[in-house]
Amino acid sequence: MTRKLCLGPVPKAETVKLTITISVQLRADLDRYAALHSELHGTVVDALTLAPLMLETFIARDKGFRAARLGRRGSSNNRPSSLDETR
C-alpha cells in the first residue's frame, strides 16, 4: 500500500523562533504525522521540524490569501519571500 502525504522532503531554510501553544491532541497528531513522514521519506524528522513546513504549505495553497497578497504587490514595503513562488 502506497501512502502519500502533502509534504515532501524537508528543505533547508533560514528560520526564526516562534513559540505557540497547541492542544494535546494536535501535538499527538503532529507526532504521528512526523513518524509517517519519516517512514515514507526515509529521513527521521520530528513534529517541530515539520510544523513550519505545514504552515508554509497551508498559506501557499490558500487562494484567498494569495489573492490578497497579489493585490498588494504595488506596496513599497513588500519584500519577496519563499511564499511568492508558484507551487
Side-chain angles (χ1 to χ4, degrees), residues 15-64:
T15 61
V16 296
K17 185 171 183 166
L18 174 67
T19 303
I20 63 170
T21 302
I22 61 174
S23 70
V24 172
Q25 181 62 49
L26 178 55
R27 176 57 195 248
D29 285 343
L30 287 170
D31 288 338
R32 282 190 289 275
Y33 193 101
L36 180 58
H37 188 279
S38 295
E39 179 185 318
L40 292 175
H41 291 282
T43 304
V44 177
V45 294
D46 60 11
L48 295 175
T49 302
L50 289 180
L53 183 58
M54 292 170 150
L55 289 169
E56 183 178 339
T57 301
F58 172 82
I59 288 172
R61 291 180 178 171
D62 187 300
K63 292 177 183 177

